[in-house]
């Protein structure tokens, strides 16, 4: 088979004729990788580049090259988007392209979801270490695919396409494109399943596989995709999109080499990585106050009742401690010693997943000028303990929903960084945290016959459910202002709720009955967190439909607010089966448009209503006219709520961010809300009185640190904590002597619980 | 060309009423033009307009009475509407009715509105995101239960009592207009229409009368948030200008002009001030150049033209491919998502006024995105600016004459430019100041070239397929730089580059555009083609009727109106559609299944062209997403100058002297030429600088510029 692209065909012929290693100057890739690691380790500079010769001698050519390469990545992304089909990729822009050095260090990346700076890097390094060069073969025109988190990925529904770029018989770079798939097969429909317990339920795994040669995908690979996902059409179009983008990047690299020569190109790629390392160090020096910062996040998995498999039927709490050392020289270390062990659930997060979370966080606060690359990775040390939920050593576990671990963890990272920003004087950069992107529905179903007739057979009558309106959560407060309402996702700051008229066009059997502000979801504080929102969907026109819901924070907060601020609200579930919606609609009787205040949903519908303080449920069958509620959370607050100016509290009530009852109990502000006019009239005397009461109670309940410590120590000694808490610590002690010792030292106790 | 001091008869007038100044561009039948300026008079814009027109006429030694009578057309564009939106000074007391439970969607703005319009860094830096203040307060928004589904079938009937209550509530609150936007009304507007009927019943009972506007009547297009915003913006910012537009028209009538006064829309046509909806005229100014480009392309027989505009704050690019420029809906206005069709134009934040700085952490030069704008830069003696700009760099390199910037109106200081660049940029980097200045231009021009390359490749073409036209105050100065690495067929610099956008405005057609979302599914075997075709046919008939009615209202004979129908189509399941014109022959005898197949064939060809890297997917079937009907009426157009070609050697009288310019790491002696004294046929060899009061053309060493019979320079690199 010949390649349409002559240049690539010539490169392939040349590689075959030479029979030499494809690394530079006759080296094997393994030798190159080893040398790069050695030089970097020995000198502290990427590949020992103490001087950036190209940058210093011809600054403008260097900048032009950077701008051109980055331009090529952005333009590949824009073009490839047009041929992509899945609503997630198109509407939410869940697509990113990267370019890597031969040994797998990221040189530059496109716009889009930035979590993938280092994920492709891990996969490429893995292929090199496994000697793909000598064994599987790496040739011009080849196409590789990976979604195995353990080898380099964030979660299994992020699928990478990796294409080698050659010049004159040598591998000069790799292009990598990632898209987030709505479905990859698996035990439960959806893109972030809470149901899975092992790899064997996760769906398609491409483990750094060669899936094509001569620029074409292998037939057997295509057949596998077609037969292994619930949405083969999306799978296929998204793959075409990634390949098209990688090929555009390859063309751009060839053009650049034609213009400046291969030696300049090579020199540039090395220096760009080293420059990234230096930029990161300088930013840290400039903006963060040195020191050791500690925080701990928790993630709840209350699956005892809902779990399907015996091994997952437990109410788990996950321990996610984060210690960060920020050094005066600009280097930083992140240590998660003491994290809970891996387990039989889908929240297992590989090292690539955790570093993905790191880069997407740092690009939002330290590196948002967009010049992030693997150099930043070299400026930072990370320790994710092996065998823990942050770096499992068992590839047979499920890796489908590592966001369940990543999102809570990075609340602690953000609070640590916020302390460091604050101490340096950057009050405005403080981010107390965020609401995690969960609680929306996932699932899939088929259309009822009368409607399915309209849809061409090739498309089929299956529709996936996975709306990305979850990208609009509340952001935490800063130390100078309130958090952003309904507009933040930690993994992609370019949030988009999407129009209802777009989502229903792909999620055929569902209809939104509402999208409205969720009163009392925002974390309290002098500066409040951003507010969340809630929605109601009904089911219409389906033959069968399965839905489930993951929630975070579920039954417990992932983290508190800062400096006296409160966390945002936790989530819960309400749904109604076998309802009287049809009759109500016929008689113009009200149906639910929310659950504010909680408990009012039931007032407007009859049926089999399930309400639980738990935020999650496993896949359930839904029928036409069933109703389901979901909720996006609010961000944590900053500072003492009593310090919030009363006029801001009035605004909060008038904008329905808080209810009058809540502001009375938390802010001590008493007044009356006119619900039609949306005006909140303050009762000043009652307000003064209420605030004094709160202050008096605080004085009364306050105790010294020593008293508090002693009181809590007794609880620890007596094991006076809930079973999930005790188990969480005990299991952590099992895998970390270091944490067990720290814990025992701190509480001055021996033997855990 | 700018031809002052002679008595001439104006035939066309293009107006641009900005926040501070009102500009007029006047052309006569001989392609001569002049420009006028006056302060904008926001209370009654017609005053400033007439003063500005009088100022222009002054250059032609004529007055308003005489000048107005010969006018054949007046095209208005302005910033009053968009400024009203940006500055939140629109008219309030708007009531909004939407689906019950979805009243908060307006303020949610899909989340996107909190970061729309931000720079790349700003988009990533979530901490700085902020929602725009909603245009309608929550208490003026009421919800009514009921739902249409994605096929336009009412799955829950409209709750009429709730509608009645909503209308009462809004009237009680004293609203002056009631906007109605319900989900999927673009497919079936029964519920919206019923709300309107109920509103009229309620108002009759109460003896009150306020207008009721329906989103399905204004913009029957998918996307309830942009549809709702566009309707609200009509009430808040667009409609309040109607009186001003009538004033302008009356002022011309009072001067004895019977020329039609029309308003430029962002999709390329002009509409009467009496048009039902004015939202399409919200934003029009910067796009003028693209209409000018289309007109030039048409007149000179150029198929594919890149229009590039270098202004003070931005670099704007639009593509005309096979004679047409594409339209987009996915744009925002002052952070608000709207569904106003806009001529596709891409913008990057580098212009001549962009600030140049060094990031002290990364030691990188950064250009923009903020800009000194009309204050020019550190070299401007009349402004207090410390940070150097791109213009300061061009000045240092000898490309600009310090004494003749804008005809000498703004005195520039070379020393101040040098000092600022040394202090802020080259000093901290320890680089030579001139090398730095050139380096800055390299970065800016490389970004511009990347933008051009990306845009053209994105359409499935390459630069070799295109001619490029460069205009705007800075276009002719940077054209050589941003085109040198892209092999365009030709690079054009019109002598009237500085006024090209205004020229383009005067070129716009009198046109009414109507869009209707269809979302009709066509089976891959075409088995339901007759049904889909009949759906298309009846929709096109409705659109044509609307266009005809609009022209009849304007007093235009419907027989001279040309109807240009088009469909937007995609493979089912894909999310990007393409616009395909319906050939006139396909409409003869009605639009049937065969006609539909012809249009689908055209779609397939276009798909190949645009998305050639992707596989076609006809096996999935097709979706006809939208029908578009544009009625085009007769309108006067400016002429492009045409003069006999003379000698290649420029006249000695045009030679102004010599100045050193820096290019490709060295200084070169450049010949200076006076633009107005050059004649068609003259060839200017680089290094040279051609100077005019509002424009400077840089002809670098190794380039030449030939002036053709249309007074357009062709910039060529000699060894190409």
């Amino acid at each position: 088979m010949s390649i349409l692209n002559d240049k690539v065909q010539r490169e392939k012929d040349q590689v075959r004729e030479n029979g030499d290693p494809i690394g530079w100057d006759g080296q094997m890739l393994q030798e190159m990788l080893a040398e790069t690691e050695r030089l970097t380790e020995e000198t502290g500079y990427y590949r020992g580049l103490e001087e950036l010769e190209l940058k210093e001698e011809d600054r403008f050519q260097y900048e032009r090259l950077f701008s051109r390469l980055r331009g090529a990545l952005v333009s590949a992304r824009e073009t490839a988007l047009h041929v992509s089909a899945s609503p997630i990729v198109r509407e939410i822009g869940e697509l990113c392209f990267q370019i890597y050095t031969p040994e797998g260090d990221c040189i530059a990346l496109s716009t889009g979801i930035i979590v993938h700076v280092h994920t492709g890097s891990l996969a490429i390094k893995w292929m090199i270490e496994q000697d793909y060069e000598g064994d599987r073969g790496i040739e011009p025109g080849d196409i590789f695919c990976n979604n195995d988190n353990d080898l380099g990925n964030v979660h299994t529904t992020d699928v990478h396409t990796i294409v080698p770029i050659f010049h004159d018989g040598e591998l000069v770079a790799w292009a990598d494109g990632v898209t987030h798939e709505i479905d990859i097969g698996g035990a439960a429909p959806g893109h972030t399943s809470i149901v899975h317990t092992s790899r064997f339920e996760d769906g398609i795994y491409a483990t750094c596989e060669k899936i094509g040669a001569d620029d074409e995908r292998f037939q057997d690979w295509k057949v596998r995709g077609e037969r292994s996902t619930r949405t083969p059409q999306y799978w296929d179009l998204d793959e075409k999109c990634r390949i098209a983008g990688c090929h555009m990047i390859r063309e751009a690299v060839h053009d650049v080499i034609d213009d400046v020569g291969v030696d300049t190109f090579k020199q540039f790629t090395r220096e760009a990585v080293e420059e990234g390392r230096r930029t990161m160090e300088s930013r840290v020096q400039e903006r963060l106050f040195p020191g050791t910062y500690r925080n701990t996040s928790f993630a709840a998995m209350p699956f005892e009742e809902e779990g399907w498999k015996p091994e997952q039927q437990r109410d788990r709490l996950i321990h996610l401690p984060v210690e960060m050392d920020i050094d005066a020289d600009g280097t930083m270390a992140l240590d998660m010693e003491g994290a809970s062990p891996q387990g039989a659930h889908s929240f297992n997060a590989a090292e690539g997943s955790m570093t993905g979370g790191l880069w997407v966080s740092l690009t939002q606060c330290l590196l948002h000028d967009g010049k992030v690359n693997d150099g930043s990775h070299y400026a930072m040390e990370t320790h994710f303990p092996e065998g823990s939920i942050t770096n499992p050593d068992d590839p047979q576990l499920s890796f489908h929903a590592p966001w369940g671990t990543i999102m809570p963890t990075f609340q602690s990272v953000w609070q640590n960084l916020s302390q460091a920003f604050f101490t340096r004087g950057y009050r405005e950069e403080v981010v107390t945290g965020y609401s995690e992107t969960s609680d929306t529905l996932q699932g899939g179903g088929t259309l009822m016959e009368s409607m399915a007739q309209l849809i061409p057979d090739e498309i089929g009558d299956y529709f996936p459910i996975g709306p990305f309106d979850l990208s609009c959560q509340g952001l935490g407060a800063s130390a100078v202002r309130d958090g952003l309402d309904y507009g933040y996702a930690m993994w992609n700051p370019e949030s988009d709720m999407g129009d209802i008229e777009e989502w229903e066009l792909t999620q055929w059997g569902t209809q939104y009955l509402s999208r409205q502000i969720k009163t009392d979801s925002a974390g309290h504080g002098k500066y409040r967190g951003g507010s969340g929102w809630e929605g109601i969907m009904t089911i219409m026109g389906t033959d069968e439909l399965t839905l489930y819901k993951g929630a975070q924070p579920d039954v417990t907060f992932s983290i508190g607010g800062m400096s006296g601020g409160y966390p945002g609200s936790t989530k819960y579930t309400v749904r109604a089966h076998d309802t009287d919606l049809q009759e109500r609609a016929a008689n113009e009787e009200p149906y639910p448009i929310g659950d504010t205040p909680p408990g009012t949903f039931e007032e407007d519908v009859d049926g089999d209503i399930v309400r639980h303080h738990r935020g999650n449920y496993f896949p359930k069958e839904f029928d036409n006219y069933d109703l389901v509620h979901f909720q996006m959370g609010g961000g944590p607050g900053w500072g003492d709520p009593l310090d919030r100016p009363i006029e801001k509290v009035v605004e909060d009530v008038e904008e329905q961010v808080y209810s009058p009852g809540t502001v009375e109990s938390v802010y001590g502000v008493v007044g009356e809300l006119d619900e039609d006019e949306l005006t909140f009239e303050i009762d000043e005397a009652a307000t003064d009185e209420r605030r004094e009461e709160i202050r008096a109670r605080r004085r009364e309940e306050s105790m010294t640190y020593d008293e508090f410590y002693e009181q809590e120590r007794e609880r620890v000694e007596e094991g006076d904590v809930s079973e999930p808490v005790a188990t969480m610590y005990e299991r952590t002690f099992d895998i970390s002597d270091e944490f067990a010792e720290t814990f025992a030292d701190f509480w001055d106790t021996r033997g855990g619980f | 060309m700018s031809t002052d001091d002679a008595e001439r008869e104006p035939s066309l007038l293009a107006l641009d009423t900005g926040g501070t100044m009102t500009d007029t561009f006047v052309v006569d039948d001989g392609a001569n033009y002049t420009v006028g300026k006056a302060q904008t008079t926001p209370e009654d814009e017609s005053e400033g307009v007439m003063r500005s027109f009088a100022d222009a006429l002054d250059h032609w030694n004529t007055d308003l009475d005489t000048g107005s009578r010969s006018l054949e057309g007046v095209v208005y564009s302005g910033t009053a509407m968009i400024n009203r939106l940006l500055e939140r000074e629109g008219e309030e007391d708007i009531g909004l009715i939407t689906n019950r439970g979805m009243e908060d969607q307006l303020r949610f703005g899909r989340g996107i509105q909190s970061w729309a319009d931000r720079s790349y860094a700003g988009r990533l830096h979530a901490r700085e995101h902020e929602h725009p203040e909603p245009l309608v307060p929550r208490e003026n928004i009421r919800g009514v239960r009921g739902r249409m589904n994605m096929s336009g079938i009412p799955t829950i009937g409209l709750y009429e009592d709730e509608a009645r209550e909503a209308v009462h509530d809004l009237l009680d609150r004293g609203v002056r207009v009631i906007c109605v936007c319900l989900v999927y009304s673009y497919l079936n507007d029964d519920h919206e229409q019923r709300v309107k009927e109920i509103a009229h019943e309620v108002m009759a009972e109460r003896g009150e009368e306020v207008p009721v506007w329906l989103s399905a009547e204004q913009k029957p297009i998918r996307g309830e948030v942009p549809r709702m915003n566009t309707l609200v913006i009509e009430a808040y910012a667009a409609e309040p200008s109607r009186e001003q537009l009538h004033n302008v028209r009356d002022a011309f009538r009072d001067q004895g002009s019977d020329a039609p006064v029309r308003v430029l829309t962002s999709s390329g046509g002009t509409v009467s001030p009496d048009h039902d909806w004015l939202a399409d005229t919200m934003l029009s100014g910067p796009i003028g150049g693209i209409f000018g480009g289309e007109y030039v392309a048409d007149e000179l027989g150029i198929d594919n033209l890149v229009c590039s505009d270098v202004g003070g704050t931005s670099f704007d690019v639009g593509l005309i491919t096979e004679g047409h420029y594409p339209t987009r809906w996915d744009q925002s206005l002052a952070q608000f998502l709207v569904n106003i069709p806009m001529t596709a134009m891409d913008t990057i934040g580098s212009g001549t006024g962009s600030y140049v700085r060094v990031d002290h952490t990364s030691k990188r030069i950064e250009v923009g995105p903020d800009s000194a704008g009309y204050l020019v830069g550190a070299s401007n003696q009349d402004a207090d600016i410390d940070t150097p700009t791109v213009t300061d760099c061009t000045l240092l390199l000898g490309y600009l004459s310090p004494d003749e910037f804008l005809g000498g109106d703004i005195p520039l200081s070379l020393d101040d430019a040098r000092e600022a660049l040394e202090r802020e940029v080259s000093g901290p980097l320890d680089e030579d100041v001139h090398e730095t200045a050139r380096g800055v231009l390299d970065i800016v021009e490389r970004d511009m070239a990347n933008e051009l390359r990306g845009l053209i490749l994105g359409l499935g073409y390459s630069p070799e397929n295109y001619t490029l036209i460069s205009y705007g105050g800075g276009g002719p100065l940077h054209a050589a730089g941003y085109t040198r690495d892209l092999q365009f067929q030709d690079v054009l610099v019109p002598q009237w580059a500085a006024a090209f956008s205004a020229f383009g405005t005067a070129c716009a057609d009198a046109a009414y555009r109507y869009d209707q979302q269809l979302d009709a599914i066509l089976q891959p075997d075409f088995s339901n083609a007759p049904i889909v075709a009949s759906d298309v046919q009846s929709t096109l008939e409705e659109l044509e009727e609307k266009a005809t009615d609009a022209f009849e209202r304007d007093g235009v004979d419907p027989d001279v109106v040309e109807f240009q129908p088009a469909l937007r189509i995609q493979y089912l399941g894909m999310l990007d559609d393409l616009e395909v014109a319906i050939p006139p022959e396909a409409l003869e005898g009605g639009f049937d299944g065969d006609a539909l197949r012809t249009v689908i064939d055209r779609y397939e060809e276009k798909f190949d062209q645009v998305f050639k890297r992707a596989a076609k997917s006809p096996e999935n079937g097709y979706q006809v997403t939208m029908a578009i009907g544009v009625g085009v009426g007769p309108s006067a157009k400016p002429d492009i100058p045409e003069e006999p070609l003379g000698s290649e050697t420029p006249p000695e009288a045009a030679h102004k002297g010599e100045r050193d310019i820096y290019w490709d790491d060295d200084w070169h002696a450049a010949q200076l030429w006076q633009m107005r004294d050059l004649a068609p046929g003259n060839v200017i060899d680089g290094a040279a600088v051609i100077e005019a009061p509002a424009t400077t053309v840089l002809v670098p060493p190794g380039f030449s510029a030939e002036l053709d019979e249309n007074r357009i320079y062709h910039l060529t690199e000699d060894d190409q």
Side-chain angles (χ1 to χ4, degrees), chain A residues 55-56 59-60 62-64 66-68 70-71 75 79 81-87 90 110-111 114 233-234 237 240 244 248 251 275 279 282-283 286 363-364 368-371 428-431 451 453-456 458-459 472 475-478 481-488 493-502 504-505 508 511-517 533 540 584-585 588-591 593 604 655-656 676-678, chain B residues 100-105 107-108 110-112 114-115 120-131 138-139 142 145-151 155-162 169 173 182-186 221-227 330 359 361-366 429 431 435-436 439-440 442-443 446-447 450 453-454 457-458 519 521-524 572-576 607 611 613-617 619-621 623:
Chain A
K55 186 179 174 192
E56 276 146 28
R59 172 184 312 278
F60 301 110
Y62 178 89
E63 292 299 338
R64 278 200 303 273
F66 196 94
S67 142
R68 185 154 168 197
R70 182 119 192 297
S75 122
T79 307
L81 263 182
H82 289 294
V83 297
S84 141
S86 92
R90 177 65 180 87
S110 71
T111 47
I114 287 180
Q233 185 208 7
Y234 292 159
L237 283 163
K240 285 174 183 163
M248 288 178 69
E251 274 175 42
E275 199 209 349
T279 303
S282 329
R283 290 266 184 264
E286 177 188 60
T363 47
Q364 290 175 43
H368 45 82
D369 58 7
K371 281 160 189 160
E428 69 280 8
E429 290 295 340
V430 165
V431 172
M451 292 184 76
Q453 280 171 3
L454 296 170
I455 313 293
E458 191 71 28
I459 303 275
C472 290
L475 176 64
S478 78
R481 63 188 277 201
D482 294 346
L484 178 73
D485 298 322
Y486 35 76
Y488 180 73
E494 297 183 351
S495 58
D496 183 0
M497 217 176 272
D499 280 299
I500 288 171
E501 288 172 355
E502 290 284 355
E504 290 185 9
L505 268 190
W508 297 323
Q511 279 180 38
Y512 283 84
L513 294 183
S514 72
R515 264 180 175 180
Q516 62 179 18
I517 196 159
W533 58 279
M540 293 254 188
R584 282 178 173 270
E588 288 195 21
E589 287 171 50
Y591 52 76
I593 51 164
D604 292 330
E655 288 174 3
Q656 297 160 301
D676 269 339
E677 296 290 320
L678 292 180
Chain B
R100 185 81 162 240
M102 301 182 192
E103 298 92 331
D104 289 329
Q105 284 223 92
R107 60 168 151 166
F108 289 175
R110 260 173 57 187
I112 248 187
S114 67
W115 54 268
Y120 177 61
R123 272 147 53 200
L124 283 180
H125 190 212
R127 186 73 279 172
E128 66 187 71
H129 295 185
E130 199 162 359
H131 294 283
R138 178 64 184 78
E139 57 271 23
R142 299 290 145 151
R145 285 181 173 83
R147 270 301 315 263
M148 292 285 170
N149 77 356
M150 50 105 179
S151 313
T155 46
I156 297 178
L158 186 77
Y159 281 38
E160 299 200 352
D161 285 344
E162 287 187 356
D169 283 354
R173 296 193 56 77
L182 302 176
V183 168
Y184 285 117
S185 66
Y186 69 89
I221 297 171
R222 191 197 309 145
E224 75 277 4
V225 173
R227 200 166 65 245
D330 57 343
D359 179 319
T361 303
S362 62
K363 295 282 179 216
R364 275 196 154 125
I365 292 175
E366 294 188 340
L429 292 177
E431 295 276 355
E435 260 176 55
T436 302
V440 167
D442 283 349
I443 291 169
R446 165 65 62 183
D447 283 348
N450 279 342
R453 193 198 316 260
L457 291 178
D519 288 344
I521 294 171
L522 175 63
Q523 294 286 346
L572 186 59
M574 286 197 185
L575 283 157
D576 266 314
F607 187 92
F611 302 137
R613 292 176 178 84
K616 299 202 282 195
S617 306
E619 68 279 7
N620 291 344
Q623 193 165 20

Side-chain angles (χ1 to χ4, degrees), chain B residues 81-194:
Chain B
M81 294 184 193
I82 188 76
N83 285 345
R84 212 172 272 136
L85 188 60
L86 285 166
E87 288 157 23
R88 292 293 186 283
E89 287 175 348
E91 286 191 24
E92 298 181 341
D93 298 324
I94 300 165
L96 175 62
I97 294 178
T98 185
N99 299 77
R100 185 81 162 240
M102 301 182 192
E103 298 92 331
D104 289 329
Q105 284 223 92
L106 189 82
R107 60 168 151 166
F108 289 175
R110 260 173 57 187
I112 248 187
Q113 292 184 171
S114 67
W115 54 268
D117 299 357
R118 271 169 210 270
S119 68
Y120 177 61
R123 272 147 53 200
L124 283 180
H125 190 212
R127 186 73 279 172
E128 66 187 71
H129 295 185
E130 199 162 359
H131 294 283
E133 188 67 25
L135 299 178
V136 181
R138 178 64 184 78
E139 57 271 23
N140 275 15
I141 306 176
R142 299 290 145 151
V144 177
R145 285 181 173 83
R147 270 301 315 263
M148 292 285 170
N149 77 356
M150 50 105 179
S151 313
I153 298 166
T155 46
I156 297 178
L158 186 77
Y159 281 38
E160 299 200 352
D161 285 344
E162 287 187 356
R164 212 160 274 122
E165 195 188 325
V167 174
H168 274 296
D169 283 354
L170 293 178
L171 292 173
D172 288 347
R173 296 193 56 77
V175 301
R176 61 182 176 85
V177 54
I178 296 176
C179 299
V180 186
C181 179
L182 302 176
V183 168
Y184 285 117
S185 66
Y186 69 89
L187 288 175
N188 181 348
D189 68 351
D190 284 357
H191 285 178
E192 281 192 2
Q193 291 290 354
R194 185 62 195 132

Side-chain angles (χ1 to χ4, degrees), chain B residues 440-699:
Chain B
V440 167
L441 296 198
D442 283 349
I443 291 169
V444 170
E445 289 165 359
R446 165 65 62 183
D447 283 348
M448 291 173 174
N450 279 342
E451 182 71 18
L452 290 171
R453 193 198 316 260
L455 199 62
I456 295 167
L457 291 178
L459 275 187
Y461 288 86
S462 64
E464 288 89 336
N465 305 119
Y466 281 84
T467 293
L468 176 136
I469 186 165
S470 173
Y471 52 88
L477 200 51
H478 294 280
Y482 67 76
T483 59
R484 70 184 305 199
D485 291 330
L486 304 169
Q487 274 70 50
F488 287 110
Q489 285 176 0
D490 200 354
V491 174
L492 311 181
V493 180
Q495 199 157 314
W496 64 103
F500 194 80
S501 291
F503 163 83
T505 300
C507 294
D509 284 324
Y512 291 100
R513 178 191 174 105
Y514 294 92
D515 305 310
Q516 170 69 54
Q517 193 94 31
L518 285 173
D519 288 344
I521 294 171
L522 175 63
Q523 294 286 346
D525 59 0
F526 285 73
S527 54
N528 63 338
I531 304 167
V532 174
S534 137
D535 200 7
V536 169
Q537 164 82 12
S538 58
T539 305
L540 290 177
E541 278 170 9
E542 283 168 29
L543 301 184
E544 185 165 12
E545 200 182 311
K546 285 185 185 175
T548 310
D549 289 351
F551 276 109
E552 273 186 332
R553 178 200 60 214
D554 298 349
V556 175
D557 177 5
D559 289 343
V560 299
V561 173
E562 189 196 344
F563 184 64
Q564 298 172 348
L567 295 178
R568 291 186 77 91
I569 300 170
Q570 65 195 31
Y571 291 114
L572 186 59
M574 286 197 185
L575 283 157
D576 266 314
D577 51 10
L578 290 176
E579 190 166 322
V580 185
I582 301 178
E585 57 275 18
L587 280 173
E588 281 165 22
F591 192 81
D592 57 12
D594 289 341
L596 182 57
R597 197 179 274 268
T598 312
V599 176
I600 293 288
D601 287 346
R602 285 190 159 208
Y603 164 75
E604 301 262 14
E605 277 168 35
K606 195 158 186 178
F607 187 92
D608 267 347
Q609 177 66 51
V610 176
F611 302 137
K612 61 183 166 190
R613 292 176 178 84
K616 299 202 282 195
S617 306
E619 68 279 7
N620 291 344
Y622 307 85
Q623 193 165 20
V624 180
T625 54
M626 198 183 285
I628 298 159
V630 184
V632 180
S635 60
K637 294 286 167 73
D639 288 312
I640 291 176
E642 193 151 353
E643 293 168 24
L645 287 177
S647 134
E648 284 192 6
T649 313
E652 198 43 47
H655 192 239
K656 292 173 69 180
E658 209 176 88
R659 186 168 68 227
D660 281 350
I661 65 166
Y662 190 86
W663 180 264
D664 276 353
D665 307 327
D666 213 348
W667 289 95
H668 305 263
Q671 305 307 312
L672 307 179
W673 300 94
Q674 186 76 44
M675 184 183 280
R676 68 159 180 256
D677 296 329
L678 293 176
N682 290 170
V683 177
I684 304 297
D685 291 318
V689 178
I690 306 169
E691 296 178 338
T695 315
T696 303
V697 186
L698 175 68
V699 188

Side-chain angles (χ1 to χ4, degrees), chain A residues 189 200 250 411 494 552 579 598:
Chain A
F200 314 108
R250 186 178 63 190
Q411 305 259 23
E494 297 183 351
Q552 243 179 359
T579 74

Side-chain angles (χ1 to χ4, degrees), chain A residues 119-132:
Chain A
T119 55
S121 172
L122 290 171
I124 292 166
K125 287 178 197 290
W126 190 84
M127 290 195 283
I128 295 171
E129 279 157 7
Q130 297 297 313
D131 192 24
Y132 273 38

Side-chain angles (χ1 to χ4, degrees), chain A residues 77 93-98 100 106 109-122 152-160 176-180 350-364 372-374 377 402-403 406-407 410 414 434 437 488-493, chain B residues 120 124:
Chain A
R77 178 175 183 273
E94 281 242 359
L95 167 68
C96 189
F97 284 99
Q98 294 87 234
Y100 294 93
C106 178
L109 70 164
S110 71
T111 47
I113 181 162
I114 287 180
V115 296
H116 292 288
V117 180
H118 191 59
T119 55
S121 172
L122 290 171
N153 193 18
V154 172
H155 64 152
T156 43
T157 41
D158 286 341
V159 180
H160 291 251
D176 171 25
V178 202
T179 56
H180 177 114
E351 204 176 349
S353 314
M354 297 306 292
T355 51
L358 182 61
W359 297 120
V360 81
S361 304
L362 292 181
T363 47
Q364 290 175 43
V372 63
N373 63 20
D374 250 325
H377 175 76
W403 287 109
I406 303 170
M407 291 193 295
F410 283 89
W414 274 104
Y434 42 80
T437 62
Y488 180 73
M490 71 81 74
W491 34 263
N492 183 2
Chain B
Y120 177 61
L124 283 180

Side-chain angles (χ1 to χ4, degrees), chain B residues 16 77 79 264 283-290 309 314 316 345 471 501:
Chain B
D16 183 9
S77 73
T79 53
L264 190 66
L283 189 71
S284 48
I287 309 168
I290 296 174
D309 181 352
S314 66
D316 301 325
M345 187 180 75
Y471 52 88
S501 291

